[in-house]
Amino acid sequence: MDGIKLCFPPETPPLSVIAALSLSSSPVTIDSSSATTTVPTFLFPDGRKLTGTSVLLRYVGRSAKSLPGFYGNDAFESSQIDEWVDYAPVFSSGSEFENACTRVDNYLQSGTFLVGHSLSIADVAVWSALAGSGPRWESLRKSKKYQNLVRWFNSISLEYAEPLSKVLSYTVKKDSGKPVATSSRSKDQQASDVNDKGKPEVDLPGAVVGKVKLRFAPEPSGYLHIGHAKAALLNKYFAERYQGEVIIRFDDTNPAKESNEFVENLVKDIGTLGIKYERVTYTSDYFPDLIRMAEKLMREGKAYVDDTPREQMKQERMDGIDSKCRNHTVKENLNLWKEMIAGSERGLQCCVRGKIDMQDPNKAMRDPVYYRCNPMSHHRIGDKYKIYPTYDFACPFVDSIEGITHALRSSEYHDRNAQYYKVLEDMGLRRVEIYEFSRLNLVYTLLSKRKLLWFVQQRRVGGWDDPRFPTVQGIVRRGLKIEALIQFILEQGASKNLNLMEWDKLWAINKKIIDPVCPRHTAVVEERRVLMTLTDGPDEPFVRLIPKHKKFEGAGEKATTFTKRIWIEGADASAISVNEEVTLMDWGNAIVKEVTKDEEGRVTALSGVLNLKGSVKTTKLKLTWLPETNELVKLTLTDFDYLIKKKKLEENDKVPDYVNENTMKETSALGDSNMRNLQRGDVIQLERKGYYRCDVPFVKSSKPIVLFSIPDGRQHQPLAAAN
């Protein structure tokens, strides 16, 4: 392989090829600053060349003499290797990352290598894909979720540490965009670095590996939103870190707000987040036990029934005044308790309160309510009960009974921690450790389910999955990859600092996931589009296959039609001068000879000639274009804005006063014919426009494909200002 030169753009190093070259000690010159190639390329001394990561990797495999079996020992093994080389790019498709890990982990249950009994380019391809995925793989690597895969990865990393260190020097440091210098550190030091990556600020107190049991306990009164997602994903993270388990428990103690619709969609959203749980439970499963516990506390003088009117009770708690019912006898309490259980008129006037300390400086300790009388039907158990426990009473009880070791909850509940522990103490139950994290607050975003419900009921959004909503279904429909959300939350760790976060950072992470893999397509806005005639263009249209993504072979190819007459954007046409040379993207240069305008000075037509030998470096305008054919598809490009106009609503702010009246803009456009194959959920980039998610795919020519604009992390531009 003497005299061969490997060229590639600095931002997309072919890690597997570099690893294979280093492992086989191949004398290839590496040029990582090449601006002349858009895909990895081998340049041979005689002028020949090979392009594409998988092509180059196979070439190295066939040529390596120092590593027997590097491309298999027979035709069957070579074919198996081809399968893995073709499969490796799946790891760079964010949504399939964990599925790919699962597949390889299962495959490696009984094997040391992917093919045969020695290292091959199959191992190199998959190892490099994992090594190049950054924090995502490092987080999973230490979680021991994929034990066979981690064993295999670590074995290769340690056995071939020296040659593979060259690969690590090309991995891109998060957020910097610059290569990380690799020092000559020991294997132990490198392993220590790996274990420190993505580590939360504080570990779970008293956590024992293999014995941690956590729960995610949403109330089924709305869809899961991004704030809940933080709690859910932290539970997932700690369970994996400590080889523990997570229970999903529906805190269904308020029949006025809950429904089976919410339960079903919460289960769906939890699945979307990739959370593996041991089982699903309901607080309502424990209603008989909770009733017995309430009676026990009343008999022990640790709780009492109170018929004080609600507003008066609230004021007495604020002022630290004992209720007149606080010293009821056990008999009086149990008699009123029976009225509550029956749901009688008298019972409806009462509640059960814990007898703690009405003078405690922490108002959460001032005799909190344990039970209320409520005659409404429960979504799950019907009319069986007329009484329902409060969260303050039910949560510590069920946590302890279910064997939960650590209860993760946001720091907004901090003042109620002492109450939680006191309730457990009075009940005589095992202590559960509370672990706090900061609530996720985002600018211009409401996370109150009550306030989100107002938008749904007022029909200001299309439902709980509206792309303007901060629900999991909403942000996924907008185009956010769950991998980005996971990375965003894990980067914050389990911090207790209260911050108002910008959406820009989350969308910037998302862009890093979708940009390397999403196909490129072309669209031209219908309004004021201009027809350009190329007088020396092809008399008969012809079709050429070109990559959908010049730096990712896995995106496939698209058929581009070249015609004498082409459509370009009206805004582009208005910027062109007579005799100006422009670049038609994916075609070449053209010189504009005529510019026709109407009475108002708007460009209505262009005429020019091709100059395909012209240099794209010398032109100012790089234009997207579409052929004039009947195969173009109709598009609706949809942009969104925040639902409210204030960065953060204060407690006394009324939502209707801050509603943004201009939150959606639809633009009609034409798209290339390849977009007929888009499926709902596909993410693409429209050249020079941005990233989009397909919400409504092609059905028939008269119906437009609906694309939702995906923010890319740049400064938000309000729709009102953009019009």
Side-chain angles (χ1 to χ4, degrees), residues 179-248:
V180 181
T182 305
S183 60
S184 56
R185 295 168 299 164
S186 69
K187 296 176 183 179
D188 290 342
Q189 287 173 317
Q190 292 179 24
S192 175
D193 287 349
V194 167
N195 290 332
D196 287 341
K197 287 183 181 178
K199 186 177 179 180
E201 290 183 4
V202 186
D203 289 336
L204 289 177
V208 178
V209 173
K211 296 185 178 180
V212 169
K213 195 169 186 179
L214 308 167
R215 49 75 171 158
F216 176 55
E219 180 186 6
S221 58
Y223 286 41
L224 208 67
H225 61 55
I226 192 170
H228 302 130
K230 178 174 182 178
L233 290 170
L234 282 175
N235 273 286
K236 174 180 184 284
Y237 174 78
F238 282 125
E240 291 175 351
R241 181 176 175 80
Y242 290 100
Q243 300 174 44
E245 63 181 53
V246 178
I247 289 173
I248 303 300

Side-chain angles (χ1 to χ4, degrees), residues 310-572:
R310 183 168 294 196
E311 286 303 314
Q312 181 183 338
M313 185 186 299
K314 182 178 179 182
Q315 191 59 49
E316 287 178 352
R317 290 191 71 194
M318 292 298 294
D319 298 337
I321 299 172
D322 285 2
S323 165
K324 62 179 178 14
C325 304
R326 200 171 196 270
N327 294 316
H328 275 168
T329 64
V330 171
K331 184 176 180 180
E332 287 174 313
N333 283 325
L334 292 177
N335 285 338
L336 289 173
W337 174 241
K338 289 178 182 177
E339 296 288 341
M340 289 180 65
I341 290 174
S344 67
E345 185 176 346
R346 179 74 175 114
L348 287 169
Q349 298 171 351
C350 301
C351 68
V352 177
R353 297 177 68 182
K355 188 184 286 188
I356 302 180
D357 185 353
M358 284 298 290
Q359 284 73 49
D360 196 302
N362 180 354
K363 293 182 174 62
M365 300 291 282
R366 295 182 181 180
D367 292 8
V369 174
Y370 286 172
Y371 257 97
R372 296 192 190 280
C373 192
N374 188 340
M376 291 190 69
S377 180
H378 190 278
H379 71 93
R380 185 165 176 260
I381 53 179
D383 299 317
K384 184 175 181 180
Y385 297 101
K386 308 296 182 187
I387 53 171
Y388 293 95
T390 61
Y391 175 87
D392 291 336
F393 184 71
C395 183
F397 177 88
V398 182
D399 280 349
S400 186
I401 293 298
E402 289 190 334
I404 302 303
T405 60
H406 298 79
L408 272 62
R409 62 186 198 178
S410 64
S411 53
E412 63 185 306
Y413 291 105
H414 178 76
D415 289 346
R416 293 159 80 172
N417 290 352
Q419 177 202 94
Y420 180 97
Y421 290 129
K422 176 61 176 172
V423 170
L424 281 176
E425 180 186 325
D426 284 352
M427 290 177 172
L429 296 177
R430 177 187 58 83
R431 180 183 172 94
V432 178
E433 292 294 337
I434 292 175
Y435 186 72
E436 292 183 337
F437 59 90
S438 65
R439 178 187 171 112
L440 181 59
N441 295 304
L442 291 153
V443 295
Y444 301 105
T445 302
L446 298 170
L447 295 179
S448 161
K449 284 186 281 189
R450 176 176 55 83
K451 293 174 181 176
L452 293 175
L453 180 61
W454 180 86
F455 277 92
V456 175
Q457 292 174 335
Q458 297 296 314
R459 298 187 178 180
R460 288 184 172 272
V461 293
W464 287 92
D465 66 344
D466 191 283
R468 292 162 291 186
F469 251 20
T471 55
V472 170
Q473 292 187 34
I475 57 178
V476 167
R477 192 174 170 204
R478 181 75 183 270
L480 186 77
K481 294 295 184 182
I482 291 300
E483 293 73 26
L485 181 59
I486 292 171
Q487 186 176 332
F488 177 70
I489 287 171
L490 290 183
E491 282 183 10
Q492 297 175 57
S495 169
K496 297 179 179 64
N497 299 324
L498 289 172
N499 294 314
L500 189 63
M501 305 290 292
E502 297 282 346
W503 280 95
D504 295 350
K505 183 177 181 182
L506 176 56
W507 289 118
I509 294 172
N510 194 61
K511 177 186 175 181
K512 290 181 180 179
I513 292 173
I514 63 176
D515 180 74
V517 297
C518 70
R520 272 52 171 168
H521 289 276
T522 303
V524 170
V525 173
E526 277 202 276
E527 187 178 6
R528 298 177 187 171
R529 70 188 188 280
V530 173
L531 200 59
M532 179 176 181
T533 301
L534 299 166
T535 56
D536 60 344
D539 292 325
E540 293 294 330
F542 68 90
V543 177
R544 182 184 298 157
L545 291 178
I546 61 175
K548 288 182 179 178
H549 191 310
K550 293 182 174 62
K551 299 177 183 178
F552 176 56
E553 298 170 65
E557 294 180 317
K558 59 184 176 182
T560 299
T561 303
F562 296 81
T563 56
K564 184 183 284 286
R565 286 150 60 93
I566 60 175
W567 292 109
I568 67 170
E569 294 268 359
D572 287 339

Side-chain angles (χ1 to χ4, degrees), residues 24 61 64-73 77 115 117-121 160:
S24 60
K65 305 299 183 186
S66 60
L67 290 173
F70 205 34
Y71 200 1
N73 293 301
E77 284 190 0
V115 177
H117 303 289
S118 63
L119 185 75
S120 71
I121 59 170
Y160 303 98

Side-chain angles (χ1 to χ4, degrees), residues 268-328:
K268 175 183 175 181
D269 295 341
I270 289 166
T272 300
L273 292 174
I275 295 171
K276 304 292 191 294
Y277 49 86
E278 293 301 311
R279 66 184 191 275
V280 174
T281 66
Y282 296 81
T283 299
S284 56
D285 294 337
Y286 301 92
F287 279 179
D289 304 306
L290 286 160
I291 288 173
R292 285 192 290 271
M293 179 57 73
E295 291 178 359
K296 173 179 177 290
L297 294 181
M298 281 185 272
R299 292 182 188 280
E300 294 174 353
K302 296 175 182 176
Y304 61 96
V305 179
D306 194 346
D307 63 358
T308 304
R310 183 168 294 196
E311 286 303 314
Q312 181 183 338
M313 185 186 299
K314 182 178 179 182
Q315 191 59 49
E316 287 178 352
R317 290 191 71 194
M318 292 298 294
D319 298 337
I321 299 172
D322 285 2
S323 165
K324 62 179 178 14
C325 304
R326 200 171 196 270
N327 294 316
H328 275 168

